[in-house]
């Protein structure tokens, strides 16, 4: 551990003032503390925001849902409104981490968590995300779990969050508060592709704080669910995953929201799959044909050549589970 100072913010203004001066926000601490122990991150100041009033889950006027940034993963997953309106969110959270971590980790912290790439967490390895310009050891190293979508010559690390995949599928919005006031960022624009600057991971401005994630109102009835494929069934990150939400009326798919995890440098929306589904009747043939488009644009590495096919099968299976077959 490197020396650091700690302050507990009593209100939002105090937190923003400390954040503007370079302080790092911390709530559950389930990611940042680990990175500090591994000396991957060395913040000079930690700003504890766990006491801020950002723990509300409420329906919006338009019929969507707003989840406060400090609601824990466990609380979000168990909330009656979340379970009833968006089971894909509950399922993605319940398939994440361990029960102990879900009781501590917050929703805002979950979508801010950094990659589990072993080279990123090994300070002796080259990593452009940790040390810009040093190279990417994963490109020629052991890269079985790494990304096949959204990669660059600078970074092939996957984003680890499960609930972020559900948020991407549902086209959520991130609410932010900073020195310049409030703003809203579409989830698709919040997490950044690595490009040549993989060290810049979110579209946050200096000192900004996540206050909530808002799910838009979607047509009802809405069927949704989350499937996670991993090497073991407990406490493991996804090799592939699929978040699916479908609105059917009159036996026809009117709306389709699909995203994948475990395969992209960010949660990966699948618009080609969605377009193939809309206006069609559910069938085994439709699910298979739509899923064939899930890996469009994939770029594999030496050890993860199995991922495109696994992704297609994951998406097909979850379409079948959510949409049913005839």
């Amino acid at each position: 551990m490197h020396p650091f100072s700690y302050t507990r913010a009593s209100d939002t203004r105090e937190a923003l003032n400390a954040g503007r001066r370079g302080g790092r926000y911390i709530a559950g601490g389930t990611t940042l503390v680990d990175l500090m122990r591994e000396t991957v991150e060395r913040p000079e100041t930690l700003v504890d925001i766990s006491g801020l009033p950002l723990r509300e889950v409420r329906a919006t006027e338009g019929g969507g849902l707003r989840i406060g940034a400090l609601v824990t993963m466990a609380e979000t997953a168990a909330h009656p409104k979340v379970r009833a309106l968006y089971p894909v969110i509950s399922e993605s959270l319940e398939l994440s981490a361990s029960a102990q971590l879900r009781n501590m980790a917050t929703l805002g912290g979950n979508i801010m968590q950094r990659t589990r790439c072993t080279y990123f967490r090994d300070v002796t390895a080259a990593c452009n995300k940790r040390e810009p310009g040093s190279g990417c050891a994963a490109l020629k190293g052991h890269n079985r779990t790494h990304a096949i979508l959204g990669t660059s010559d600078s970074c092939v690390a996957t984003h680890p969050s499960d609930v972020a995949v559900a948020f991407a599928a549902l086209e959520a919005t991130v609410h932010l508060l900073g020195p310049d006031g409030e703003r809203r960022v579409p989830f698709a624009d919040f997490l950044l592709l690595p490009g040549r600057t993989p060290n810049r991971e979110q579209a946050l401005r200096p000192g900004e704080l996540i206050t909530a994630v808002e799910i838009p109102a979607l047509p009802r009835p809405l069927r949704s669910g989350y499937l996670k494929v991993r090497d073991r069934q407990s406490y493991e990150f996804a090799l592939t995953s699929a978040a699916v939400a479908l609105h059917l009326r009159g036996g026809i798919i009117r709306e389709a929201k699909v995203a994948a995890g475990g395969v992209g440098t960010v949660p990966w929306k699948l618009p080609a799959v969605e377009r193939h589904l809309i206006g069609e009747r559910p069938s085994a043939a439709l699910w298979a044909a739509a899923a064939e488009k899930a890996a469009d644009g994939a770029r594999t590495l030496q050890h993860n050549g199995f991922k495109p096919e696994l992704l297609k099968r994951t998406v097909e299976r979850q379409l079948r589970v959510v949409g049913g077959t005839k």
Side-chain angles (χ1 to χ4, degrees):
M1 276 287 199
H2 292 258
F4 63 90
S5 62
Y6 168 91
T7 181
R8 184 178 176 87
S10 58
D11 56 40
T12 304
R13 176 177 293 182
E14 185 179 342
L16 292 178
N17 286 337
R20 182 166 43 193
R21 295 192 298 268
R24 290 288 305 278
Y25 299 127
I26 186 170
T30 57
T31 292
L32 182 55
V33 171
D34 281 348
L35 293 175
M36 291 172 65
R37 286 173 176 159
E38 295 167 353
T39 69
V40 174
E41 299 230 20
R42 301 178 182 180
E44 294 183 0
T45 303
L46 295 183
V47 183
D48 187 341
I49 60 170
S50 60
L52 300 186
L54 302 174
R55 296 183 177 276
E56 183 182 25
V57 179
R58 63 176 176 82
T60 62
E61 289 184 6
L65 199 63
R66 178 176 168 133
I67 307 171
L70 293 181
V71 183
T72 67
M73 294 170 64
E75 289 167 343
T76 304
H79 197 281
K81 283 188 172 66
V82 177
R83 298 188 78 86
L85 298 175
Y86 303 104
V88 63
I89 295 176
S90 291
E91 291 174 14
S92 66
L93 288 166
E94 289 168 345
L95 290 170
S96 299
S98 64
Q100 294 92 333
L101 287 174
R102 294 196 298 271
N103 284 332
M104 283 295 298
T106 63
L107 202 69
N110 182 278
I111 62 175
M112 283 286 292
Q113 69 179 299
R114 307 192 73 182
T115 182
R116 259 51 185 190
C117 172
T118 53
Y119 298 106
F120 167 73
R121 289 171 177 261
D122 178 358
V123 294
T124 67
C127 176
N128 290 317
K129 189 179 286 290
R130 188 185 66 250
E131 186 179 346
S134 64
C136 176
L139 287 171
K140 300 296 182 182
H142 186 66
N143 43 44
R144 177 176 177 271
T145 62
H146 286 70
I148 59 173
L149 294 164
T151 61
S152 73
D153 292 337
S154 297
C155 185
V156 292
T158 55
H159 193 276
S161 171
D162 289 296
V163 75
V165 182
F167 289 156
L170 297 171
E171 300 170 1
T173 298
V174 182
H175 290 250
L176 303 171
L177 179 63
D180 298 325
E182 299 181 19
R183 67 186 185 108
R184 301 172 61 176
V185 177
F187 200 82
D189 299 327
F190 179 72
L191 298 173
L192 305 179
L193 292 170
R196 295 182 179 179
T197 56
N199 56 302
R200 186 163 184 261
E201 298 174 342
Q202 302 93 15
L204 285 168
R205 296 170 183 168
E208 277 191 322
L209 175 70
I210 301 173
T211 57
V213 176
E214 183 175 334
I215 315 302
L218 294 171
R220 297 289 165 183
L222 187 73
R223 307 176 186 176
S224 72
Y226 187 74
L227 174 64
K228 182 175 182 178
V229 177
R230 46 190 169 170
D231 286 323
R232 58 182 183 180
Q233 281 299 101
S234 176
Y235 198 39
E236 185 60 275
F237 296 93
L239 289 172
T240 62
S241 67
V244 172
L246 301 174
H247 167 58
L248 285 85
R249 188 176 73 250
I252 303 294
I253 301 169
R254 310 292 180 176
E255 293 278 352
K257 308 294 182 185
V258 186
V263 291
T265 52
V266 296
W268 204 254
K269 195 83 156 73
L270 298 174
V273 174
E274 295 171 344
R275 288 192 297 268
H276 195 88
L277 295 169
I278 294 173
E280 302 293 335
R281 292 185 177 275
S283 71
L286 177 66
W287 307 142
E292 277 296 312
K293 301 178 181 298
D296 287 358
R299 188 175 82 166
T300 60
L301 301 164
Q302 181 179 358
H303 302 112
N304 66 4
F306 66 93
K307 278 199 171 186
E309 182 62 26
L310 183 60
L311 173 60
K312 293 175 188 177
R313 295 187 182 198
T314 303
V315 171
E316 180 183 355
R317 177 179 169 185
Q318 192 58 7
L319 287 171
R320 188 170 67 245
V321 169
V322 173
T325 55
K326 292 185 179 180

